[in-house]
């Protein structure tokens, strides 16, 4: 059962994964840091929306998704895309958090949000011939 607070974070993460302009930067944060901040935000409940970490996490995921889409365009031009997502990839916060938590705790500090988002695209949207 989803609570209101996880729904608020979920809504933000869902929006963050929608393609937008290339102005947002992000994705360099480690998965360990992201998870620690996300868990702290969930504990704040509705007050999480007022936290600077809320905007930071949203920017991290948005930037990582945008960077992946830019990389993917280059891969497509070369005829070797790493994934084949639709124009709007319908991920939600549960998808993102599950991907982040799928890395062993010992590897989370060395794995970036950008890598996690790219891995999510690859796992969720494989190309037909693979």
């Amino acid at each position: 059962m989803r609570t209101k607070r996880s729904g608020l974070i979920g809504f933000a993460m869902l929006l963050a994964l929608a393609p937008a302009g290339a102005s947002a930067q992000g994705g360099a944060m480690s998965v360990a840091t992201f998870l620690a901040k996300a868990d702290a935000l969930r504990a704040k409940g509705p007050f999480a929306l007022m936290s600077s970490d809320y905007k930071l996490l949203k920017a991290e995921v948005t930037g990582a998704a945008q960077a992946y889409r830019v990389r993917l365009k280059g891969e497509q031009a070369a005829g070797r895309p790493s994934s084949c997502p639709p124009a709007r990839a319908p991920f939600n916060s549960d998808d993102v958090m599950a991907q982040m938590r799928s890395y062993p705790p010992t590897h989370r500090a060395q794995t970036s949000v950008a890598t996690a988002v790219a891995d999510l695209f690859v796992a969720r949207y494989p190309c037909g011939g693979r």
Side-chain angles (χ1 to χ4, degrees), residues 1-58:
M1 182 174 160
R2 290 176 58 119
T3 64
K4 279 187 178 183
R5 70 182 141 191
S6 68
L8 292 173
I9 301 297
F11 179 69
M13 299 301 273
L14 183 62
L15 289 177
L17 285 170
S23 62
Q25 296 181 353
M29 179 185 290
S30 75
V31 167
T33 300
F34 185 95
L35 287 172
K37 289 181 179 294
D39 289 342
L41 283 175
R42 284 182 191 235
K44 289 183 178 185
F47 295 107
L49 294 173
M50 293 182 272
S51 171
S52 61
D53 280 347
Y54 178 83
K55 290 178 184 173
L56 176 66
L57 294 183
K58 182 177 176 182

Side-chain angles (χ1 to χ4, degrees), residues 102-117:
S102 74
Y103 298 97
T106 55
H107 292 107
R108 291 176 183 170
Q110 294 82 34
T111 305
S112 69
V113 169
T115 296
V117 169

Side-chain angles (χ1 to χ4, degrees), residues 31 35 93-103 108 115-121 123-124:
V31 167
L35 287 172
S93 66
D94 292 335
D95 298 329
V96 173
M97 294 302 289
Q99 179 66 33
M100 302 279 184
R101 293 190 194 288
S102 74
Y103 298 97
R108 291 176 183 170
T115 296
V117 169
D119 289 349
L120 180 57
F121 272 93
R124 178 67 60 91

